[in-house]
């Protein structure tokens, strides 16, 4: 049975890793997300992810929290795309997902966009 949790060790929280990600990572855009990812070879496969909903687009905290929850849930259910042995040949992957739309989109749209992002990243590895 696959592990669908999102434990603390799978969340990107190191300031140095976040700086490295935004300085030398590759980026792309799939509506409604801007994503940045950085991969380096390692002995074990590990994926760490950062979720962000800027205050610039959504002033109310309850809307930002709702969108962040929807994004985390969609990632949690689709993260096996990156965890397959063929996709990640022993790499340490850091990823940031930034919600970049002013609209409050439904879960299905967010899930579809996240699946496309994960497939693009796994194809480029």
């Amino acid at each position: 049975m696959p592990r669908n949790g999102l434990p603390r060790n799978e969340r990107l929280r190191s300031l140095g890793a976040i700086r490295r990600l935004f300085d030398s990572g590759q980026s792309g855009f799939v509506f409604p997300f801007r994503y940045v990812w950085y991969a380096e070879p390692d002995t074990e496969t590990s994926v760490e992810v950062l979720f962000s909903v800027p205050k610039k687009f959504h002033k109310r905290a309850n809307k930002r929290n709702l969108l962040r929850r929807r994004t985390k849930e969609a990632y949690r259910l689709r993260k096996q795309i990156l965890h397959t042995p063929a996709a990640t040949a022993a790499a340490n992957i850091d990823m940031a997902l930034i919600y970049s739309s002013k609209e409050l989109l439904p879960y299905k749209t967010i899930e579809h966009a996240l699946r496309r992002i994960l497939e693009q990243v796994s194809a480029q590895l």
Side-chain angles (χ1 to χ4, degrees), residues 48-94:
E48 293 183 357
V49 66
L50 169 94
F51 302 97
S52 176
V53 181
K55 195 174 184 179
K56 177 180 178 181
F57 298 130
H58 299 282
K59 303 293 184 195
R60 303 294 302 249
N62 61 346
K63 290 183 181 178
R64 288 195 307 271
N65 290 340
L66 174 70
L67 291 169
R68 196 174 303 112
R69 274 190 231 115
R70 285 180 181 175
T71 305
K72 282 182 180 182
E73 182 69 9
Y75 173 79
R76 187 182 69 80
L77 294 175
R78 297 289 182 184
K79 69 180 180 177
Q80 286 80 23
I81 296 171
L82 287 178
H83 286 278
T84 57
T88 58
N92 180 15
I93 303 169
D94 296 337

Side-chain angles (χ1 to χ4, degrees), residues 2 4 14 19 48 60-61 64 99 104 106 109 114 121 124:
N4 285 335
S14 167
R19 280 193 184 130
E48 293 183 357
R60 303 294 302 249
R64 288 195 307 271
Y99 191 89
L104 198 67
T109 307
L114 210 64
V121 170
Q124 291 181 3

Side-chain angles (χ1 to χ4, degrees), residues 2 8 14 25 28 32 35 39 41 51 69 101 107:
R8 187 171 184 168
S14 167
Y35 65 96
F51 302 97
R69 274 190 231 115
S101 174
Y107 174 77

